[in-house]
């Protein structure tokens, strides 16, 4: 669903973190740690740069925040992701979903996945 918008999973998570308000890179890194793994030395900087280039995120005084366009795109993507998740997962509870994702991540990492 995100690919249709040319948004990566990490960028989606950055949009989610910034949705409530501005954040420093340190806080973005902390929030995205499970999604960053070893890539980019565990930094969200490369991922947020793409959002800045698109005009969805602005940075001032070391604080990153969504622009008006970024907030609008986040809301649009949120609806798309929710619809997709509902169609794919059906009646799966949030707890079961979290367990499934964690289990699949462990399997993927055991097979050499690093991002």
């Amino acid at each position: 669903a995100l690919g249709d918008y040319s948004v990566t999973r990490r960028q989606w998570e950055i949009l989610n973190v910034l949705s409530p308000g501005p954040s420093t890179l340190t806080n973005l890194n902390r929030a995205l740690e499970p999604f960053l793994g070893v890539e980019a030395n565990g930094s969200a900087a490369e991922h947020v740069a793409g959002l800045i280039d698109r005009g969805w995120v602005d940075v001032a005084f070391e604080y990153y925040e969504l622009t008006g366009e970024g907030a609008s795109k986040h809301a649009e993507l949120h609806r798309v992701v929710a619809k997709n998740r509902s169609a794919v997962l059906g009646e799966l509870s949030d707890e079961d979903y979290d367990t499934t994702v964690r289990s699949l991540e462990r399997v993927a990492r055991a097979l050499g996945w690093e991002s």
Side-chain angles (χ1 to χ4, degrees):
L2 297 173
D4 291 343
Y5 291 82
S6 299
V7 173
T8 68
R9 173 67 193 264
R10 282 129 198 100
Q11 289 173 329
W12 166 242
E13 294 304 330
I14 289 169
L15 294 172
N16 284 322
V17 171
L18 295 178
S19 179
S23 179
T24 64
L25 183 59
T26 299
N27 288 336
L28 284 174
N29 287 335
R30 190 174 298 123
L32 272 69
E33 188 174 8
F35 302 100
L36 293 173
V38 297
E39 72 178 49
N41 294 322
S43 177
E46 179 181 326
H47 304 288
V48 78
L51 296 170
I52 292 170
D53 290 345
R54 293 174 83 156
W56 294 7
V57 172
D58 195 15
V59 61
F61 304 107
E62 298 184 22
Y63 281 88
Y64 295 83
E65 64 182 327
L66 294 181
T67 63
E69 183 179 1
S72 175
K73 289 297 183 182
H74 177 257
E76 183 178 346
L77 284 167
H78 191 274
R79 288 188 295 274
V80 169
V81 168
K83 182 178 177 182
N84 191 30
R85 182 176 289 171
S86 177
V88 170
L89 301 177
E91 299 298 316
L92 200 63
S93 71
D94 289 343
E95 182 179 311
D96 288 342
Y97 170 79
D98 290 341
T99 300
T100 300
V101 169
R102 284 193 309 272
S103 297
L104 290 172
E105 183 175 321
R106 284 195 305 269
V107 169
R109 288 190 190 283
L111 294 173
W113 182 68
E114 295 182 10
S115 16

